[in-house]
Amino acid sequence: MESVFDPYTAKALLEWQVELGATDAIADMPVDRYALADKAPKAKAAPVAQAAQPIAARDPVAVAKAAANSAGSLAELRAAMEAFDLCELKKGARQLVFADGTPDARVMIIGEAPGRDEDREGKPFVGRAGQLLDRMLDAIGLNRASSVYITNVLPWRPPQNRDPKPDEIGMMVPFLERHVALAQPDVLVLMGNISCQAVLGKRGITRLRGKWDQAMTLPVMPMFHPAYLLRQPQMKRQAWADLLELNAKLEGQ
Ligand code: URA
């Protein structure tokens, strides 16, 4: 069927739909798939020896644990995550967002999940929230080039930046645990509720922030997420107090 749009408009419309999270192409006309199913020749069952184990039969957390624990370096962990195909988010994302900064830094920051800019660039915290994060770190003399390592709980962008689901978080936690074990930071900084959920097993950032906790054998500092601080700039005062607390810990250790 001939398109009613010129090629430029059609391309812009297509890009817009991808931005909205559309992942499947559909036809111009509705298709009655029940009628098609009746006409279709019955598929022969695959010989048992050739049938791959169906995805639903695999326990994503167990598969993730085995893959993560077999990684002996950050490069191997990244490859294991690239190969992990049980998380639905992977299908809608442009690429895996693994980490940024200095892998042997004393401070490891854990965010939530990539947004649009991170999905495009393949690095965590490069959008507006990331720019604020960089300014916050700079205020206590930290930066990605020499003193901070940054990753996210989820390495793939959720469609329309929705909150990650508990099962998505659960199956990516083994990779995060291995990431922390391989990077060996002195302290973890958790940005927002999703990372508190993944690392500490609890939410309630207003109550948790600013107080040292313990997880993965390390001191953990929960803080307001920079995206939240962009929406609620009056909360920057608390974030500044938390940064000072982090700085004091680093100087005291
Ligand atoms: N928010 C996050 O939590 N992580 C990013 O990488 C970007 C925005």
Side-chain angles (χ1 to χ4, degrees), residues 44-57:
K44 280 195 203 136
V48 173
Q50 285 176 24
Q53 196 185 17
I55 282 185

Side-chain angles (χ1 to χ4, degrees), residues 97 110-116 118 123-127 129-130 150-154 191 195 225-227:
V97 175
I110 303 176
E112 189 179 312
R116 191 189 52 181
E118 291 75 20
K123 286 185 186 171
F125 281 104
V126 292
I150 307 179
T151 189
N152 283 312
V153 175
L154 277 305
M191 292 300 181
S195 36
H225 194 288

